[in-house]
C-alpha cells in the first residue's frame, strides 16, 4: 500500500494511505487524548477531545484526529494554544452536566474523563446550569448498574452492542439537551432483549454503565489484574480478571487474545461464583473409622488415595478402576491423568466430560478431511457469504462463533438457523428451520440430496480435491426428500429452498455445536457436514469451513492429549499394537490393550457393582443430567470414591477421599480451543488454603503409585506428550503463549490456520449419506 509523509509537532512520520492523524501520532509516539475513540470499535466523531490543529498556508483549522485522514504534506500541531483551549472547553462542557462525585464514584481511579480533567486542570463548575437527573440503578437486571447521569454520549456502548455483540439493544433517544442512551422504547434491559454480555460496561469510559459486582466494596486501585484463558466453553477466550483478596471481582475481555479479541459471553464474564463461593475446598478430607469425613493434610490424603487405589486393583483388577475428568483441566493435567490410568493403574477407563461428544466429531472429520477438529479459525466465520447453524443454542453455548456469524450477516451474508426453538440467533437469520430435536443429520442429508440432484455443487472443486463422489451419489439416490421431511418436521419445499439459499452464496460456513443436553451425534453427521462443505467448495478457504464445536472448555485438549478410553495421546488407537508399543517405549511400562469405558459407561458400571473405584477430577456426576437415583446408587456401591475439586459438591459429600483442587484461573498450563489453538494459562491468583492445582495433586498420586512415570513439572509433561503427537510438531512448552498457533504445527513452531488442500492429489473423502 502507498505511504504518505506528514509532520506532527515538527516530527516527520510515514504512514500507510488511509491512516488517520491519530494513527500517525501513535506511530510517532505523540500522545493525543481521546474519549469516544476505542481501537476495537468503529470510528465515531462524538466527543472531539482529540482535536488537533491542521496548519495550512496562512490559516489553520481544528480537526478530530481519530477520524480525520492523514494527508501527504500535512502539518499537525497537537498541543498548540488553540488545541489546548478547545480541549479544555469541551471538557468543561462535559463536566457541566456530569456528577461531581468522584469521592464515591465506583470509577474513580479508572475513569477516563477523570484522567482527562486532571491532565487538563479542568474545573467542574466553569459552566453552571441545569443538570440531568436520571434515575440511578433503576433497571432490575442482576449484572449491570446503570447511572446515565454520568454519561458523556460517547456512544461506545451503542457501537459495542452493535459491532461486537450484534444485539442492538442500546440506542440514542431524544435531541439536544434531552439526548440520552437508552433501550428502544426505554424498556428494561431484560424486556428489550439484552443478552447480558457486558460489553457495554467493558467499553464505557465513565461507569454510566458499569458492573454490579464489587460496587462499594473495592476501589479500582485495590484490584489486581491478570490475564489468562477462560475454560468455561470451547472458544478459548482470553480474559482479564480483576481480583481482590483471593476473589474475582470483575472480568473483562482480553483485546490481545486471537480467539475473541475482547469479546466475552455472559458465562465467561459473570460466572465466577464457583471461585468465590464460601464452599471452596481449602483442605483435604478423609473418612475416619466411623465413616465421618475429617480434615486431613493433603499429603496424608494422597497417601491414603494411592494405597486404596492399589488395593482395589490388586483385589478386583485394573478394569474395576475408572477416572473421569471435568472440562476445565489443562492439557498437562489431562495427559497426567491418562498416564496415571494407563501407566500406573493399567486401565483404559479414563475419560473427560466432553469425551462422548468429541469422539464422533474426531472420527467423522478425520476420516473425511484428514483431521478431526474445526477446519478454520473462528475469525473465518465472519468472512462467510452464507451460513448454516445447527446443534446447540450457539449464542449460549458457543458465543464467539455466534458473534462472528452475526458479523458476516451485517456484511451481507445469508444465515440459516436450524433449531427446534426460536433461539436468539434466529433474529439475524434469513431462515429459521424449526426442525425436530436431533434431526440435524437428516437435514444435512436433505441438503446433500438437493444440491447433488440439482447440480448446485462446485464440480471443479469436487474433481480436483475429493474422492469417492460416486459413493455419495449412489447413496443419495436411495433417499427421498419425503423421508427427510418426515424426520425433520419440515416440508419438502422448505428443505429445497433452504438448500438452494445456502448454496447460492459462497464461501459457505457450517456451524454445528454439540450440546450436553442431547445425545452425542454419530460420526455420520460430521461426515455429511464435511460432504456438504466439499460440494460447495467451502473447505480450506477463508470464509469457508466446518466449525465443529465440542461441549466443554478444553475438550479438544483432552482429546489431543489422550484423556479418553479409545485413543492414546496423538490419536493413537489403544487397539493397535504399534501405537501401544510407541507409548510403552516412551513411558517404560506396558500400556493396556483392553478397551476402556467412557464416563457414562463408568457410572453405569458402578451402579451394577462392576466398577469398584472412581477418581473424579473437577466433575460432579450429580450435575450432568443423569438420573439422581442412578448416581446415588453408583457412588454408594463404590469401595473407593476420590473427589478432587475446587469447591464442595454432592459427590464430595459421598467421597472417601476429598482433595482440594484449583480453579482454572488459579493454574498454569496450556489448553487447546475449538479452532485448534494451543494457548498458555497464567494464574491470576493463588488457590485458597491448602488447595493445589490439579496437576500437583495428580502428580502426587502418580509419584506414590509409580514414581518413574511422574514428570518433574508441567513443561516436562507437555514436552513428553508432544513426542507422541505429530499435530504439535516442534512446539515446546516454553514457546506457548496466549497467542499460540493452531495445530498442525510445523517443526519451526508455525501453525496452520485452516485445512490445507494439496494440489497433487485429492485429500477429501466422501462417504455414503445416511438418513
Amino acid at each position: 500500500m502507498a505511504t504518505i509523509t506528514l509532520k506532527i509537532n515538527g516530527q516527520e512520520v510515514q504512514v500507510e494511505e488511509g491512516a488517520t492523524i491519530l494513527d500517525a501520532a501513535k506511530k510517532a509516539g505523540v500522545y493525543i487524548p481521546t474519549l469516544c475513540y476505542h481501537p476495537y470499535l468503529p470510528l465515531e466523531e462524538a466527543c472531539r477531545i482529540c482535536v488537533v490543529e491542521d496548519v495550512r498556508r496562512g490559516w489553520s483549522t481544528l480537526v478530530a484526529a481519530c477520524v480525520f485522514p492523514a494527508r501527504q504534506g500535512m502539518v499537525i500541531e497537537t498541543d498548540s494554544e488553540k488545541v489546548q483551549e478547545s480541549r479544555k472547553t469541551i471538557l468543561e462542557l462535559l463536566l457541566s452536566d456530569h456528577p461531581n462525585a468522584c469521592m464515591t464514584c465506583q470509577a474513580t481511579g479508572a475513569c477516563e474523563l477523570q484522567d482527562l480533567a486532571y491532565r487538563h486542570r479542568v474545573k467542574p463548575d466553569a459552566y453552571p446550569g441545569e443538570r440531568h437527573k436520571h434515575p440511578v440503578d433503576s433497571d432490575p437486571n442482576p449484572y449491570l448498574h446503570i447511572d446515565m447521569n454520568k454519561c458523556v454520549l460517547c456512544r461506545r456502548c451503542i457501537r459495542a452492542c452493535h459491532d461486537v455483540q450484534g444485539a442492538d439493544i442500546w440506542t440514542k433517544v431524544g435531541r439536544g439537551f434531552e439526548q440520552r442512551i437508552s433501550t428502544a422504547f426505554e424498556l428494561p434491559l431484560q424486556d428489550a432483549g439484552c443478552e447480558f454480555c457486558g460489553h457495554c460496561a467493558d467499553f464505557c469510559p465513565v461507569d454510566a454503565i458499569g458492573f454490579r459486582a464489587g460496587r462499594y466494596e473495592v476501589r479500582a486501585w485495590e484490584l489486581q489484574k491478570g490475564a489468562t484463558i477462560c475454560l468455561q466453553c470451547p472458544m478459548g477466550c482470553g480474559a482479564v480478571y480483576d481480583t481482590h483478596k483471593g476473589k474475582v471481582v470483575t472480568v473483562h475481555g482480553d483485546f490481545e487474545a486471537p480467539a475473541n479479541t475482547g469479546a466475552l459471553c455472559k458465562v465467561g464474564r459473570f460466572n465466577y461464583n464457583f471461585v468465590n463461593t464460601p464452599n471452596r475446598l481449602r483442605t483435604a478430607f478423609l473418612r475416619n473409622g466411623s465413616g465421618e469425613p475429617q480434615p486431613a493434610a493433603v499429603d496424608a490424603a494422597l497417601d491414603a488415595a494411592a494405597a486404596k487405589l492399589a488395593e482395589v486393583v490388586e483385589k478386583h483388577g485394573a478394569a474395576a478402576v475408572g477416572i473421569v475428568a471435568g472440562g476445565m483441566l489443562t492439557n498437562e493435567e489431562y495427559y497426567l491423568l491418562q498416564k496415571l490410568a494407563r501407566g500406573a493403574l493399567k486401565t483404559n477407563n479414563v475419560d473427560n466430560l466432553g469425551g462422548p461428544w468429541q469422539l464422533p466429531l474426531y472420527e467423522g472429520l478425520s476420516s473425511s478431511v484428514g483431521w478431526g477438529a474445526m477446519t478454520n479459525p473462528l475469525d473465518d466465520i465472519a468472512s462467510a457469504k452464507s451460513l448454516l447453524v445447527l446443534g446447540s443454542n450457539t449464542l449460549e453455548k458457543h458465543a464467539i462463533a455466534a458473534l462472528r456469524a452475526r458479523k458476516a450477516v451485517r456484511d451481507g451474508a445469508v444465515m440459516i438457523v436450524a433449531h427446534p426453538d426460536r433461539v436468539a440467533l434466529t433474529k439475524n437469520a434469513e431462515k429459521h428451520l424449526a426442525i425436530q430435536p436431533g434431526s440435524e443429520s437428516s437435514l444435512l442429508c436433505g441438503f446433500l440430496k438437493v444440491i447433488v440432484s440439482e447440480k448446485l455443487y462446485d464440480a471443479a472443486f469436487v474433481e480436483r480435491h475429493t474422492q469417492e463422489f460416486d459413493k455419495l451419489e449412489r447413496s443419495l439416490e436411495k433417499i427421498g426428500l419425503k423421508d427427510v421431511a418426515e424426520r425433520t418436521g419440515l416440508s419438502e419445499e422448505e428443505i429445497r429452498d433452504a438448500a438452494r439459499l445456502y448454496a447460492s452464496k459462497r464461501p459457505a460456513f457450517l456451524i454445528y455445536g454439540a450440546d450436553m443436553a442431547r445425545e452425542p451425534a454419530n460420526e455420520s453427521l460430521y461426515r455429511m457436514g464435511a460432504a456438504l462443505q466439499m460440494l460447495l467448495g467451502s473447505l480450506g478457504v477463508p470464509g469457508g469451513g466446518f466449525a465443529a464445536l465440542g461441549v466443554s472448555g478444553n475438550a479438544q485438549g483432552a482429546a489431543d492429549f489422550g484423556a479418553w478410553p479409545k485413543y492414546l495421546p496423538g490419536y493413537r488407537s489403544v487397539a493397535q499394537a504399534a501405537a501401544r508399543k510407541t507409548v510403552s517405549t516412551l513411558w517404560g511400562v506396558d500400556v493396556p490393550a483392553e478397551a476402556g469405558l467412557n464416563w457414562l459407561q463408568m457410572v453405569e458400571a458402578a451402579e451394577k457393582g462392576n466398577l469398584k473405584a472412581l477418581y473424579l477430577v473437577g466433575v460432579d456426576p450429580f450435575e450432568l443430567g443423569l438420573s439422581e437415583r442412578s448416581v446415588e446408587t453408583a457412588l454408594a456401591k463404590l469401595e473407593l470414591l476420590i473427589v478432587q475439586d475446587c469447591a464442595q459438591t454432592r459427590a464430595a459429600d459421598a467421597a472417601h477421599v476429598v482433595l482440594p483442587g484449583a480453579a482454572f484461573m488459579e493454574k498454569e498450563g496450556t489448553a487447546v480451543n475449538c479452532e485448534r489453538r494451543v494457548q498458555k494459562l497464567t494464574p491470576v491468583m493463588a488457590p485458597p488454603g491448602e488447595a493445589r492445582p490439579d496437576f500437583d495433586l495428580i502428580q502426587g498420586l502418580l509419584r506414590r503409585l509409580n514414581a518413574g512415570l511422574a514428570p518433574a513439572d508441567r513443561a516436562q509433561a507437555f514436552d513428553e506428550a508432544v513426542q507422541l503427537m505429530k499435530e504439535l510438531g516442534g512446539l515446546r512448552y516454553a514457546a506457548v503463549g496466549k497467542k499460540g498457533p493452531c495445530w498442525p504445527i510445523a517443526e519451526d513452531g508455525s501453525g496452520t490456520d485452516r485445512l490445507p488442500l494439496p494440489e497433487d492429489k485429492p485429500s477429501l473423502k466422501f462417504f455414503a449419506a445416511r438418513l
Side-chain angles (χ1 to χ4, degrees), residues 661-677:
F664 67 84
M665 68 281 289
E666 298 166 340
K667 296 179 180 181
E668 179 190 334
T670 64
V672 186
N673 76 342
C674 61
E675 58 181 357
R676 301 163 283 106
R677 191 179 301 281

Side-chain angles (χ1 to χ4, degrees), residues 69 177 191 237 280 394 437 462 481 544 732:
F177 186 71
D191 297 341
C237 295
R280 282 299 299 267
T394 316
V462 169
L481 271 191
R732 294 295 178 267

Side-chain angles (χ1 to χ4, degrees), residues 7 27 33 36 46 80 88 116 132 193 216 314 345 363 395 400 415 417 458 462 491 515 559 566 585 689 736:
K7 281 187 177 181
K27 186 173 182 180
C36 72
S80 66
K88 188 173 183 179
L116 290 170
H132 286 109
Y216 306 122
E314 178 70 25
L345 301 174
E363 294 187 335
L395 191 65
I400 301 304
M415 180 164 64
V417 175
D458 185 336
V462 169
S491 70
D515 191 339
K566 193 173 180 179
T585 301
V736 181

Side-chain angles (χ1 to χ4, degrees), residues 475-493:
S475 66
L476 290 171
E477 289 171 0
K478 302 173 185 177
I479 296 171
L481 271 191
K482 181 179 179 182
D483 296 326
V484 176
E486 287 178 357
R487 297 208 180 188
T488 60
L490 304 174
S491 70
E492 293 182 44
E493 198 56 35

